[in-house]
């Protein structure tokens, strides 16, 4: 009688066949037994077949599950045999699906498989680890206690609360680096004998830091020759510290130009500044009226009167466009005669121009050397180096590069600059993010101007992976992944004196700040040497189509669109839900930008 009833409930007239379950997973039919699906307690299937969650059936009466059928096949095979075959299987996707179905034994095995490819000691490029400072833990505990008295994490007046543990910005100068958190800064110094050491920690600031600057070699300043200067700023507040060799810091409280003769700070208002660069003792300012101004920081105290910084116009753009990017290259001729200078600049209309001041044209100022009109969006970055001219525009960080011909170290018209490459440094940063996130994720280019420079590509906001690419061609040099699996919140490239031995050159390091407050270091000099020797297979550039899809999968793993109820969302889903809006913006932008073409060019 029981067999007859079971067969009737299963809509099958054959006695004893009611235990066969028909499944429709993403349009693919599967047949299995109830015993196979039920042997793991508290799983998705045990809840589904016991009636604790509702079922959706197709036209044939099979239970419909709106999930990936390709990933379901090895999961069902594991339920049948308790064995796992990973040939041709993406472990990350399979683990995510196993988390959805609540197959705990399979999830544990897949985590072990992922650990085989991951090392807490990092790759060959990993060079060091600075743990989170104690202050971040104390401040975070304080904020948590305060938040328990509030309803939400958002204040109408102050805006969203910034995670106090996260490293927002990293800056460096010589063998010093400074890390900015939400409400304080910490300075580190490297010594050949003992490595990186913390030498200064600022007091707690009531406002959120958005900009930092560091000068580790102050000579002739108002506070002695051995002082180090650290500045932090928000939209409306600025503070400056003077750090002695012992690590103590004195708050100065002002930022400006110090005049040693009159013993006061000098400031001067000019038209709105849209870009800047330095060349020796000259400070060049690109402004929104199309003019490039300069200030001689070495000579102005001798000729200064009425609090005047002697801001002088050097050049005016022929189209009157705003100067949005500036790059000055000092040739070997400059150090001898001081009257040869090369300047590349970009404008709001997308034009890229190179101007040159020859020794014979000192009285008439720089002359227009070459114009490129290849960009259609405002130029955001420009770099003129010994061998290349690199420009970046606002269209998804579109990069155009040219080779530069030189004769005796000076730019030449024979045969002149020729196009080299075109690619994109795709970055899906959140546009509504805190201002410091943008300054802490500057793509570059980084490096000395007489050497190959690099771009650093952070594709999605919450990621533990960065792509390092040549600025001249866009070719991928390497990729780095955080050794502790934490999110990379900011990064910076710096050349440091690694050794005091005679003839040793500075080494180029990539510093990454992380969501848990730690700082990790990567040896890019080794990566460059490996890439130049061709010891690794050269990739096309940025993330491939498969890598991009995997990164985007980290952005939006929501299962809320699934018709099948989800009783136990994966932890990765909960971790990345805050990025759904940014991914929606990406989908809207896809009508204007073809991702396939972008990944091929990058």
């Amino acid at each position: 009688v029981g067999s007859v009833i079971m067969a009737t409930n299963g809509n099958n007239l054959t006695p004893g066949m009611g235990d066969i379950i028909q499944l429709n997973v993403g349009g693919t039919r599967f047949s299995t037994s109830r015993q196979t699906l039920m042997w793991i307690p508290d799983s998705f299937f045990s809840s589904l077949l016991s009636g604790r969650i509702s079922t959706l059936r197709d036209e044939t009466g099979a239970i419909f599950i709106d999930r990936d059928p390709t990933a379901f096949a090895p999961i069902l095979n594991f339920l049948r045999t308790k064995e796992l075959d990973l040939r041709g299987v993406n472990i990350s996707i399979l683990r995510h699906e196993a988390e959805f179905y609540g197959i705990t034994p399979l999830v544990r095995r897949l985590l072990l498989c992922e650990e085989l490819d991951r090392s807490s000691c990092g790759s060959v490029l990993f060079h060091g680890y600075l743990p989170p400072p104690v202050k971040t833990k104390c401040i975070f505990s304080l904020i948590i206690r305060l938040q328990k008295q509030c309803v939400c994490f958002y204040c109408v007046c102050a805006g969203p609360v910034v995670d106090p543990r996260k490293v927002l910005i990293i800056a460096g100068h010589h063998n010093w680096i400074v890390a900015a958190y939400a409400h304080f800064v910490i300075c580190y110094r490297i010594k050949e004998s003992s490595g990186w050491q913390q030498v200064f920690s600022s007091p707690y600031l009531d406002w959120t830091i958005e900009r930092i600057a560091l000068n580790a070699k102050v000579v002739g300043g108002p506070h002695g020759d051995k002082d180090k200067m650290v500045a932090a700023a928000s939209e409306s507040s600025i503070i400056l510290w003077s750090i002695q060799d012992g690590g103590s810091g004195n708050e100065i409280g002002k930022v400006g130009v110090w005049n040693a003769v009159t013993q006061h700070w000098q400031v001067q208002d000019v038209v709105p500044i849209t870009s800047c660069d330095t060349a020796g003792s000259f400070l060049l300012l690109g402004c929104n009226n199309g003019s490039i101004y300069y200030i001689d920081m070495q000579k102005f105290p001798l000729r200064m009167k009425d609090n005047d910084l002697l801001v002088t116009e050097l050049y005016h753009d022929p189209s009157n466009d705003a100067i949005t990017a500036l790059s000055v290259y000092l040739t070997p001729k400059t150090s001898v005669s001081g009257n040869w200078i090369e300047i590349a600049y970009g404008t709001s209309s997308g034009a890229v121009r190179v101007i040159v001041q020859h020794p014979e044209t000192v009285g008439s100022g720089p002359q227009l050397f070459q114009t490129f009109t290849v960009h259609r969006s405002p130029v955001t970055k420009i770099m003129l180096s010994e061998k290349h001219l690199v420009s970046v525009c606002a269209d998804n960080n579109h990069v155009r590069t040219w080779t530069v011909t030189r004769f005796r170290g000076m730019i030449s018209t024979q045969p002149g600059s020729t196009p080299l490459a075109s690619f994109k440094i795709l970055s899906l940063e959140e546009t509504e993010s805190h201002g410091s996130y943008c300054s802490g994720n500057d793509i570059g280019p980084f490096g000395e101007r007489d050497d190959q420079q690099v771009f650093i590509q952070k594709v999605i906001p919450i990621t533990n992976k960065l792509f390092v690419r040549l600025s001249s061609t866009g070719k991928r040099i390497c990729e780095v992944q955080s050794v502790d699996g934490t999110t990379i919140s900011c990064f910076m490239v710096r050349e440091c004196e690694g050794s005091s031995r005679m003839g040793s050159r500075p080494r180029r390091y990539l510093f990454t700040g992380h969501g848990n407050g730690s700082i990790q270091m990567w040896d890019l000099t080794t990566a460059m040497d490996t890439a130049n020797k061709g010891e690794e297979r050269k990739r096309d550039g940025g993330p491939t189509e498969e890598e991009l899809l995997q990164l985007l999968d980290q952005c939006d793993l929501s299962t809320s669109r699934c018709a099948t109820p989800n009783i136990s969302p994966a932890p990765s889903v909960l971790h990345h839900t805050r990025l759904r809006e940014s991914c929606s913006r990406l989908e809207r932008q896809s009508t204007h930008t073809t991702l396939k073409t972008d990944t091929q060019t990058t």
Side-chain angles (χ1 to χ4, degrees):
V1 176
S3 300
V4 173
I5 294 176
M6 193 182 315
T8 304
N9 291 339
N11 297 324
N12 196 318
L13 297 179
T14 304
M17 294 300 294
D19 286 339
I20 296 179
I21 306 299
Q22 303 293 333
L23 299 176
N24 181 346
V25 181
T28 303
R29 302 296 295 270
F30 294 90
S31 297
T32 185
S33 67
R34 180 184 297 268
Q35 182 181 2
T36 298
L37 297 178
M38 295 282 286
W39 73 269
I40 296 179
D42 298 327
S43 68
F44 171 83
F45 300 108
S46 62
S47 300
L48 185 71
L49 299 180
S50 64
R52 291 198 296 268
I53 60 176
S54 59
T55 59
L56 182 65
R57 296 183 179 271
D58 62 7
E59 65 279 0
T60 64
I63 299 176
F64 178 73
I65 303 176
D66 193 8
R67 302 296 294 186
D68 182 9
T70 305
F72 181 74
I75 291 177
L76 182 58
N77 186 63
F78 175 79
L79 293 175
R80 289 168 173 166
T81 64
K82 299 181 178 59
E83 295 180 356
L84 183 60
D85 184 6
L86 294 178
R87 288 175 295 182
V89 176
N90 186 305
I91 297 179
S92 177
I93 296 177
L94 184 59
R95 178 178 58 84
H96 174 61
E97 292 297 302
E99 288 174 345
F100 171 82
Y101 293 116
I103 313 299
T104 306
L106 178 58
V107 172
R108 292 173 179 172
R109 293 194 185 187
L110 293 174
L111 287 174
L112 290 176
C113 293
E114 289 182 332
E115 289 295 331
L116 291 176
D117 297 328
R118 185 185 303 129
S119 170
S120 60
C121 296
S123 65
V124 67
L125 307 177
F126 181 68
H127 195 70
Y129 183 91
L130 296 176
V134 179
K135 181 175 290 189
T136 59
K137 302 177 182 178
C138 299
I139 294 178
F140 184 72
S141 300
L142 174 62
I143 291 183
I144 289 296
R145 289 197 300 269
L146 294 176
Q147 286 175 345
K148 290 181 179 179
Q149 305 173 8
C150 302
V151 179
C152 63
F153 289 91
Y154 191 90
C155 175
V156 177
C157 301
V161 177
V162 181
D163 189 346
R165 299 170 299 177
K166 182 183 298 183
V167 183
L168 300 182
I169 319 172
I170 301 179
H173 191 215
H174 291 285
N175 284 2
W176 285 62
I177 62 172
V178 56
Y181 298 81
H183 300 286
F184 61 94
V185 299
I186 292 183
C187 293
Y188 299 90
R189 176 180 57 186
I190 187 173
K191 290 186 177 181
E192 184 178 358
S193 58
S194 56
W196 290 93
Q197 293 180 337
Q198 178 179 328
V199 293
F200 171 72
S201 177
S202 74
Y204 179 86
L205 303 176
D206 294 331
W207 36 270
T208 303
I209 298 174
E210 296 182 355
R211 297 288 186 276
I212 58 172
L214 170 68
N215 190 348
K217 190 178 182 181
V218 180
V219 179
H223 301 275
D225 293 345
K226 297 183 179 180
D227 292 351
K228 312 295 186 288
M229 311 291 282
V230 178
S234 68
E235 184 177 352
S236 58
S237 302
I238 300 177
I239 191 170
L240 183 67
W241 293 280
S242 171
I243 304 174
Q244 284 74 38
D245 284 343
S248 60
N250 299 323
E251 180 180 335
I252 298 176
K254 292 183 180 179
V255 174
V257 179
W258 176 265
N259 182 3
V261 178
T262 60
Q263 296 292 305
H264 66 277
W265 297 88
Q266 299 298 128
V267 294
Q268 178 179 342
D269 293 330
V270 294
V271 295
I273 300 171
T274 52
S275 58
C276 65
D277 196 12
T278 58
S281 63
F282 286 89
L283 173 62
L284 283 86
L285 308 173
C287 300
N288 67 351
N289 63 349
S291 293
I292 299 177
Y293 299 91
Y294 75 92
I295 304 172
D296 191 340
M297 308 302 294
Q298 198 171 34
K299 295 182 179 179
F300 84 90
L302 303 177
R303 302 168 51 193
M304 182 185 59
K305 60 180 180 179
D306 300 328
N307 196 29
D308 187 7
L309 291 184
L310 296 181
V311 180
T312 308
E313 186 179 60
L314 178 68
Y315 184 80
H316 191 86
D317 183 71
S319 301
N320 297 320
D321 293 330
I323 310 299
T324 55
L326 262 179
S327 177
V328 182
Y329 180 76
L330 297 178
T331 67
K333 187 77 172 178
T334 306
S335 60
V336 178
S337 59
N339 50 19
W340 180 283
I341 191 171
E342 300 172 3
I343 301 175
Y345 71 90
T347 68
S348 57
S349 64
V352 175
R353 305 186 195 274
V354 180
I355 58 177
V356 178
Q357 178 171 293
H358 301 269
E360 59 271 16
T361 61
V362 174
S364 58
Q367 303 296 312
L368 182 61
F369 178 80
Q370 201 165 6
T371 299
F372 305 92
T373 56
V374 294
H375 292 293
R376 300 180 60 187
S377 301
V379 178
T380 57
K381 289 181 173 295
I382 197 164
M383 176 60 66
L384 179 61
S385 62
E386 181 180 3
K387 298 180 180 179
H388 302 101
L389 172 63
V390 181
S391 63
V392 185
C393 77
D395 179 17
N396 289 322
N397 291 332
H398 183 208
V399 183
R400 294 297 298 267
T401 63
W402 296 267
T403 58
V404 174
T405 304
R406 296 189 176 275
F407 178 71
R408 293 180 179 176
M410 296 174 287
I411 197 167
S412 172
T413 57
Q414 300 296 330
S417 303
T418 55
L420 180 60
S422 173
F423 54 93
K424 286 185 179 180
I425 307 294
L426 184 66
S427 178
L428 307 179
E429 289 290 343
E430 296 172 294
T431 55
E432 292 85 6
S433 294
H434 190 261
S436 60
Y437 295 171
C438 299
S439 59
N441 290 281
D442 184 9
I443 64 172
F446 299 102
E448 298 297 329
R449 303 201 184 198
D450 59 349
D451 195 3
Q452 276 276 26
Q453 298 178 315
V454 296
F455 282 115
I456 307 297
Q457 183 174 12
K458 181 184 176 186
V459 182
I460 59 177
I462 296 183
T463 182
N464 62 350
K465 181 182 293 186
L466 297 178
F467 297 91
V468 182
R469 304 170 61 182
L470 282 179
S471 64
S472 57
T473 62
K475 296 292 184 182
R476 187 192 306 185
I477 300 173
C478 65
E479 58 188 68
V480 299
Q481 186 169 345
S482 60
V483 296
D484 53 2
T486 55
T487 300
I488 298 177
S489 55
C490 61
F491 53 84
M492 179 265 299
V493 175
R494 195 73 206 169
E495 294 202 3
C496 300
E497 297 286 348
S499 174
S500 59
R501 295 189 299 270
M502 183 70 67
S504 62
R505 296 189 60 187
R507 298 189 69 83
R508 189 180 307 182
Y509 296 102
L510 168 62
F511 297 87
T512 56
H514 295 257
N516 65 344
S518 65
I519 298 176
Q520 299 177 21
M521 290 159 280
W522 312 85
D523 185 0
L524 291 189
T525 300
T526 299
M528 297 282 287
D529 294 342
T530 303
N532 293 333
K533 294 178 181 178
E535 295 179 2
E536 292 185 355
R537 182 177 63 88
K538 293 185 178 180
R539 301 177 183 266
D540 291 336
T544 62
E545 294 180 3
E546 293 78 9
E547 291 171 329
L548 182 59
L549 290 175
Q550 291 178 6
L551 291 170
L552 294 179
D553 185 60
Q554 297 177 27
C555 267
D556 188 6
L557 299 179
S558 173
T559 56
S560 59
R561 302 173 187 173
C562 177
T564 305
N566 185 0
I567 60 172
S568 57
S572 55
V573 176
L574 302 177
H575 184 62
H576 296 296
T577 50
R578 62 185 294 267
L579 296 176
R580 295 172 186 169
E581 294 182 1
S582 63
C583 293
S584 299
R585 289 195 299 271
L586 172 65
E587 293 174 359
R588 291 195 296 269
Q589 292 175 359
S590 63
T591 58
H592 306 286
T593 304
T594 303
L595 289 181
K596 182 175 181 179
T597 303
D598 173 50
T599 53
Q600 289 175 347
T601 56
T602 56

